[in-house]
Amino acid sequence: GAVVSQHPSRVICKSGTSVKIECRSLDFQATTMFWYRQFPKQSLMLMATSNEGSKATYEQGVEKDKFLINHASLTLSTLTVTSAHPEDSSFYICSASLRASGANVLTFGAGSRLTVL
Amino acid sequence: AQTVTQSQPEMSVQEAETVTLSCTYDTSESNYYLFWYKQPPSRQMILVIRQEAYKQQNATENRFSVNFQKAAKSFSLKISDSQLGDTAMYFCAFMKPDLRGGNEKLTFGTGTRLTIIP
C-alpha cells in the first residue's frame, strides 16, 4: 500500500533556529501534499496545501514566511519552521493524496514532534 | 465552510463489546466523502473506513461499520467485538471533492478518545 515517510520523527532545537521536516511518498507520486499541525489532545489543523512545482496554499492565519513549504518533486515536500520559538512546539503531520476508487485517500506520515527550547 | 462535530470527547467500553462513536457535519455540498481515522498512541493516522455520500449503502470494513444518515448529516462509527488494539483517538473527517483532482482537503472533528478496557 501507499506509504508516506516523514523525517525526523522528533527534533529539539534552540529558539531562533530553523528546522526542516521532510515528507516523502515512497511508492507513489503525490502531486499534492498537506501539512497539519496538532496540539496535545487536539485535532489536526490544516496549515497548507503543497502542490508540486508551485507555491503552497496556506490556510488563514498561517504565516507563510514562518512556515516555508517546498514541493520540489512528485515525491518530496518539506516544511521549514523558520526562527522557531517555543510556541511553535507541536506535532506536525504531512499527508499525500492518492487517488483510489474515485475518491482521494490521504495517506499520512508518522508525524514529527518539534520541541523548541 | 464545512464543520465536523464529535460530541463525545471520551468513551470507554469493555473488551468484546460494541461501541458507537457519533459524528455530525454541516455542509451545503451534495457530493462529498466522509472518513473515520484512528490515531493510536504512536500518533500515526490510520484510515478506518470511508463513505461516499452518493452511496446509500453503509460502508463496512470487518468489525467497523458506519451508519450514514445523509439527510440528518450524521456519520457514526460502530466497532463490534472491540479489541484492546482499538484503543486510540478516532477522528471523523469530511472531504469535498475537487473536480480538478489533488486539492481535496480533509476537515477533521475534534476527536473521541476511545479506551478498550480488558
Side-chain angles (χ1 to χ4, degrees):
Chain A
V3 177
V4 172
S5 173
Q6 192 171 339
H7 178 79
S9 59
R10 292 176 182 267
V11 57
I12 301 173
C13 70
K14 293 183 179 180
S15 185
T17 61
S18 295
V19 174
K20 180 184 287 187
I21 301 170
E22 292 187 349
C23 181
R24 293 181 184 272
S25 56
L26 295 187
D27 48 4
F28 66 100
Q29 293 183 334
T31 55
T32 303
M33 291 185 176
F34 303 87
W35 287 95
Y36 297 84
R37 183 173 182 175
Q38 185 180 30
F39 290 106
K41 298 185 179 182
Q42 293 189 22
S43 187
L44 282 72
M45 300 301 296
L46 180 65
M47 298 174 66
T49 303
S50 168
N51 292 298
E52 186 267 336
S54 63
K55 291 184 178 180
T57 303
Y58 290 82
E59 295 299 301
Q60 191 173 9
V62 178
E63 299 174 60
K64 61 180 181 181
D65 295 329
K66 173 77 170 172
F67 299 99
L68 300 179
I69 292 173
N70 184 278
H71 195 153
S73 76
L74 288 173
T75 59
L76 174 64
S77 176
T78 60
L79 168 67
T80 301
V81 182
T82 63
S83 186
H85 288 92
E87 57 266 30
D88 299 324
S89 297
S90 188
F91 193 66
Y92 293 88
I93 307 175
C94 72
S95 68
S97 179
L98 174 66
R99 278 204 174 272
S101 303
N104 267 17
V105 175
L106 295 189
T107 302
F108 287 81
S112 300
R113 182 179 301 281
L114 170 63
T115 302
V116 184
L117 303 177
Chain B
Q2 288 70 228
T3 59
V4 178
T5 302
Q6 292 179 250
S7 58
Q8 305 152 310
E10 295 186 12
M11 294 187 72
S12 60
V13 66
Q14 291 288 139
E15 188 177 6
E17 291 187 348
T18 295
V19 61
T20 299
L21 310 183
S22 65
C23 172
T24 58
Y25 58 95
D26 189 24
T27 183
S28 58
E29 304 291 332
S30 59
N31 187 29
Y32 48 86
Y33 302 101
L34 296 165
F35 303 83
W36 278 97
Y37 280 89
K38 168 184 177 181
Q39 188 180 41
S42 67
R43 305 294 291 272
Q44 172 74 59
M45 294 289 285
I46 300 167
L47 176 66
V48 175
I49 199 166
R50 76 170 187 264
Q51 173 83 41
E52 292 92 338
Y54 61 86
K55 290 186 177 180
Q56 292 186 337
Q57 186 173 8
N58 289 323
T60 299
E61 287 288 341
N62 300 313
R63 299 183 295 109
F64 300 88
S65 61
V66 298
N67 184 3
F68 174 48
Q69 302 290 328
K70 190 173 184 179
K73 296 181 181 176
S74 172
F75 182 62
S76 62
L77 173 70
K78 185 172 80 171
I79 305 174
S80 304
D81 186 25
S82 57
Q83 300 175 0
L84 297 179
D86 296 334
T87 292
M89 279 289 287
Y90 285 82
F91 292 100
C92 178
F94 175 100
M95 177 189 283
K96 171 187 169 184
D98 179 0
L99 294 178
R100 295 170 300 174
N103 282 297
E104 292 89 338
K105 302 176 185 179
L106 278 174
T107 300
F108 286 94
T110 51
T112 297
R113 183 173 301 279
L114 176 65
T115 301
I116 309 301
I117 303 168

